[in-house]
Amino acid sequence: MARLSALASPHRLRIIAALTAGGRNYVSQLAREIGISRPLLHLHLQKLEEAGLVTSQLELGADGKALNYFEVAPFVLDLTPAAITALVATLTTKSET
Amino acid sequence: MARLSALASPHRLRIIAALTAGGRNYVSQLAREIGISRPLLHLHLQKLEEAGLVTSQLELGADGKALNYFEVAPFVLDLTPAAITALVATLTTKSET
DNA sequence: CATATGCGTCAGTTATTTCTTACATATGAA
DNA sequence: TTCATATGTAAGAAATAACTGACGCATATG
């Protein structure tokens, strides 16, 4: 569920695409490349990270500035009627998405 | 995009699961089985149909009542970083999801 | 010190979805 | 005709999600 709703957003899809095509990147830089505000990007990255679709790693740049690098986590979601049915059976009993 | 956001809802996932497990069903009956109001179900079915995840067919029951049957459309969405990247490339140019 | 870059977060607004209630139509049966 | 079933939809409330702008804090440079 968290994964599905995380992917139901144009911005977040674009973020994943950018990180996939361009490799890992830090927040401010990524915000400039994608063309959205840093707070907004932060919000979306947060959701993606909660969903386990991206990971972050805080590093110190050559100049000593703190850079928070994000990269996509490898994931495979196959959505079919059967898969969804199985997933829902799980949810009803009690669980995650 | 329409497909992804259509699937980012517990209710809609349950609707798909119900139609997959129980086969085609008409609106009022399905609403009773799932336990949500008919207008609400109607709303969700609408989104699912717009996304092409379900199809509907109006029929006349044995008693002459109009019954709108819904069934799941076979679909396969595989969501991976690469697939999303390809999809976003499409969107940027101009297209659907 | 002032400026520029990086980080995060909170407060408040705006937009979008979701849901309920109520209305309107149609058919068959009592 | 009245009741029960089916359909759809529109209006407004409630709940989420999305977004902006302004903070505060840290480090390096001019």
Side-chain angles (χ1 to χ4, degrees):
Chain A
M1 206 36 253
R3 293 193 150 181
L4 280 177
S5 44
L7 292 175
S9 153
H11 275 165
R12 290 195 287 270
L13 291 180
R14 241 173 288 129
I15 290 169
I16 290 179
L19 290 177
T20 301
R24 64 204 298 274
N25 204 349
Y26 63 94
V27 186
S28 293
Q29 177 61 21
L30 185 56
R32 281 189 292 265
E33 291 182 5
I34 295 182
I36 64 179
S37 73
R38 193 174 54 80
L40 181 55
L41 174 60
H42 184 271
L43 172 76
H44 287 306
L45 284 174
Q46 207 169 301
K47 293 208 170 175
L48 288 171
E49 189 165 28
E50 285 169 5
L53 301 176
V54 302
T55 58
S56 68
Q57 197 176 343
L58 194 61
E59 296 178 11
L60 288 181
D63 59 354
K65 303 265 176 59
L67 303 177
N68 199 7
Y69 277 90
F70 279 80
E71 66 183 320
V72 294
F75 61 86
V76 180
L77 288 200
D78 83 297
L79 283 302
T80 61
I84 291 172
T85 305
L87 186 154
V88 169
T90 299
L91 290 181
T92 307
T93 311
K94 182 151 215 171
S95 189
E96 296 285 301
T97 311
Chain B
M1 202 41 252
R3 290 193 154 178
L4 280 177
S5 45
L7 292 175
S9 152
H11 275 165
R12 290 194 287 269
L13 290 181
R14 242 173 288 128
I15 291 169
I16 290 179
L19 289 177
T20 301
R24 64 204 296 275
N25 203 349
Y26 64 94
V27 185
S28 294
Q29 177 62 21
L30 184 56
R32 283 188 290 264
E33 291 180 5
I34 294 184
I36 64 179
S37 74
R38 193 177 55 78
L40 180 55
L41 174 60
H42 183 270
L43 171 76
H44 287 305
L45 283 173
Q46 207 169 302
K47 292 206 170 177
L48 287 171
E49 189 166 29
E50 285 169 6
L53 300 176
V54 303
T55 58
S56 67
Q57 197 175 343
L58 196 61
E59 296 179 10
L60 288 180
D63 59 354
K65 302 267 175 58
L67 303 177
N68 199 6
Y69 276 90
F70 279 81
E71 67 183 319
V72 294
F75 60 86
V76 179
L77 289 201
D78 83 299
L79 282 301
T80 62
I84 291 172
T85 304
L87 186 154
V88 169
T90 298
L91 290 182
T92 306
T93 312
K94 182 149 211 171
S95 187
E96 296 286 300
T97 311

